[in-house]
Amino acid sequence: MVEQEIAQSVTLALNEDLNGLSAAEGDITANLIPENTQAEAVVITRDDAVFCGKAWTQEVFRQLGDTVNITWHVEDGDLVKANSPLFSLTGPARTLLTGERTALNFIQTLSGIATITKQYTSLIASTNCKLLDTRKTLPGLRNASKYAVVCGGGHNHRIGLYDAYLIKENHIMACGGIAEAIAFANKQHPERWVEVEVENIAELKQALDAGAQRVMLDNFTIPMMLEAVSINKANPVQADLEVSGNVDSSTILSFAETGVDYISVGALTKHVHAVDLSMRFVQK
């Protein structure tokens, strides 16, 4: 994650609350409090979770004036228990309240992604299979979401459309075939890895023969996965095999046990269940 991108995300999020105004003008409720009132607050999680979002929280309060001191009790990637403190804040009461929801929105979303990722990786920990994310992310939070996946113990698939080839059904049709698409890819960007999505064993064989580096087995049954692994092992140059489709907590282990290298799960970043958080002022 680059600092500039985090700063841009935070700026957009704060503008949603403040309508592009300063905190003094935009947060009309916080401005009920006398300007010189100082406060101390603590943020706790109501759920068991994997924490993620420290840098975004720090950036929220930096942009609001850098007058808030944050004491961290956790780090990104830490397992946290329900009702445990995540961090404490001291500073102007107005600033704490203005930044509260923006900071918590980042944490609840990113921690939700990290938490579900940890649950999935734990299910396949007994295998050599790796869990991958996808590009099915919240707009504007691609890299943040993928960072959260890593915090949860997962691995990143390609980041965008620019860093790797993923040749799907429509690409294949428009290019004239699997072999043709792979040949074009290797000619255009030989330094980029090439993955092909296939829907049956015949297409798998075509992709292997054409030199695909990774083959995505789309909606394969377990018998088809086992056959694909066997065919790949017998191939002179083996490709990485990735399973996609019909993956949930009840199927992921049986899929991983077939011997495939990767399983990609769009739900990690698409079906985000936010972690329940709460900020409370400390009575003095």
Side-chain angles (χ1 to χ4, degrees), residues 147-178:
Y147 170 75
V149 166
V150 173
C151 287
H155 299 264
N156 295 148
H157 204 280
R158 61 178 181 161
I159 303 300
L161 297 173
Y162 59 90
D163 56 325
Y165 286 99
L166 179 48
I167 301 169
K168 298 188 175 186
E169 178 183 11
N170 290 330
H171 301 103
I172 293 168
M173 184 178 299
C175 288
I178 290 175

Side-chain angles (χ1 to χ4, degrees), residues 6-258:
I6 295 173
Q8 290 171 343
S9 295
V10 167
T11 297
L12 289 172
L14 285 172
N15 283 341
E16 288 177 335
D17 268 335
L18 300 173
N19 196 30
L21 302 172
S22 68
E25 298 173 297
D27 189 350
I28 60 175
T29 311
N31 289 334
L32 297 173
I33 302 168
E35 184 177 4
N36 62 351
T37 300
Q38 297 291 305
E40 179 180 349
V42 62
V43 172
I44 66 171
T45 173
R46 300 294 187 186
D47 300 321
D48 292 347
V50 176
F51 176 79
C52 183
K54 180 177 179 179
W56 288 264
T57 300
Q58 293 180 153
E59 181 63 19
V60 166
F61 290 103
R62 188 195 70 78
Q63 290 194 22
L64 288 174
D66 214 12
T67 54
V68 172
N69 181 65
I70 305 176
T71 301
W72 289 96
H73 309 305
V74 296
E75 297 291 338
D76 286 351
D78 284 354
L79 292 168
V80 294
K81 290 293 186 180
N83 300 312
S84 61
L86 303 178
F87 56 97
S88 302
L89 310 98
T90 55
R94 287 184 177 185
T95 306
L96 297 186
L97 291 168
T98 298
E100 173 189 2
R101 178 43 51 196
T102 300
L104 266 56
N105 281 349
F106 280 112
I107 296 171
Q108 70 182 21
T109 301
L110 299 183
S111 296
I113 293 171
T115 301
I116 188 63
T117 301
K118 186 66 174 180
Q119 292 171 5
Y120 272 81
T121 56
S122 297
L123 291 172
I124 60 172
S126 60
T127 74
N128 293 320
C129 187
K130 294 181 179 179
L131 179 70
L132 297 176
D133 54 26
T134 71
R135 287 172 45 243
K136 297 175 183 177
T137 55
L138 293 170
L141 288 178
R142 170 68 53 78
N143 285 334
S145 298
K146 285 180 171 282
Y147 170 75
V149 166
V150 173
C151 287
H155 299 264
N156 295 148
H157 204 280
R158 61 178 181 161
I159 303 300
L161 297 173
Y162 59 90
D163 56 325
Y165 286 99
L166 179 48
I167 301 169
K168 298 188 175 186
E169 178 183 11
N170 290 330
H171 301 103
I172 293 168
M173 184 178 299
C175 288
I178 290 175
E180 289 81 359
I182 292 176
F184 291 157
N186 287 330
K187 182 178 180 180
Q188 288 178 344
H189 290 287
E191 77 283 4
R192 302 293 204 310
W193 56 265
V194 178
E195 179 172 6
V196 179
E197 181 182 85
V198 301
E199 298 179 350
N200 52 58
I201 295 298
E203 290 181 351
L204 166 69
K205 292 178 178 178
Q206 292 176 44
L208 293 174
D209 290 343
Q213 293 164 289
R214 185 182 297 177
V215 181
M216 179 185 291
L217 311 177
D218 184 41
N219 291 309
F220 271 41
T221 64
I222 288 179
M224 291 172 68
M225 293 177 201
L226 291 168
E227 184 178 358
V229 169
S230 178
I231 291 170
N232 187 45
K233 285 183 178 179
N235 202 57
V237 179
Q238 295 181 17
D240 291 332
L241 297 182
E242 174 187 337
V243 164
S244 179
N246 299 316
V247 183
D248 59 31
S249 59
S250 67
T251 61
I252 190 169
L253 178 58
S254 59
F255 289 177
E257 289 176 337
T258 63

